[in-house]
Amino acid sequence: MLQVNGKEVEVRCDVRATLLDLLRERLRLTGTKKGCNRGECGACTVHLDGRRVNACLVLAAGADGGEVTTVEGLARGEQLHPVQEAFIESDAFQCGFCTPGQIMSAVACIREGHTGSNEEIREWMSGNICRCSAYPQIAAAVASAAARDDV
């Protein structure tokens, strides 16, 4: 049993299944992307019990009893999360593959208080790779969202 995006779910899965596989294949929450599947790219970043984690490195069984938030769980109805809005306003994506992981990491980065400078944002977002090199726009989106009162 775990809570995913505010809803309690009970899913049986193979003991070897990762949280990423559980989210994508069993729960059909495909916003979380499978990139490298080795914890190197950050495309699968989700929040587990309030911390950002690479879902490809967490066994689903290890998340049992936990609270998971994916990119699908950030918006409130039709109202996007402020970080999602900032990514759109800053044009902080190109192909979009890394965007869900970038957004989840950005939310955590802001919550953790690591937005004091562009350099600090880049350091704390460094676990998320953008192959299109939209890093200036991503850092601008994080700074913009961090400056808002409603994050």
Side-chain angles (χ1 to χ4, degrees), residues 23-59:
L23 294 170
R24 288 186 58 80
E25 296 171 16
R26 301 297 302 277
L27 300 178
R28 300 290 181 220
L29 294 171
T30 57
T32 305
K33 303 300 182 208
K34 185 180 272 195
C36 67
N37 210 30
R38 294 186 310 240
E40 295 174 358
C41 73
C44 65
T45 303
V46 298
H47 297 171
L48 175 59
D49 296 329
R51 289 180 347 159
R52 55 179 147 174
V53 299
N54 291 333
C56 70
L57 296 179
V58 176
L59 289 175

Side-chain angles (χ1 to χ4, degrees), residues 42-94:
C44 65
T45 303
V46 298
H47 297 171
L48 175 59
D49 296 329
R51 289 180 347 159
R52 55 179 147 174
V53 299
N54 291 333
C56 70
L57 296 179
V58 176
L59 289 175
D64 189 30
E67 184 177 331
V68 177
T69 304
T70 69
V71 72
E72 291 95 341
L74 290 180
R76 297 292 167 235
E78 296 296 314
Q79 179 62 44
L80 293 177
H81 186 279
V83 172
Q84 292 171 311
E85 290 177 349
F87 266 66
I88 292 168
E89 292 164 4
S90 298
D91 197 25
F93 48 87
Q94 288 181 27

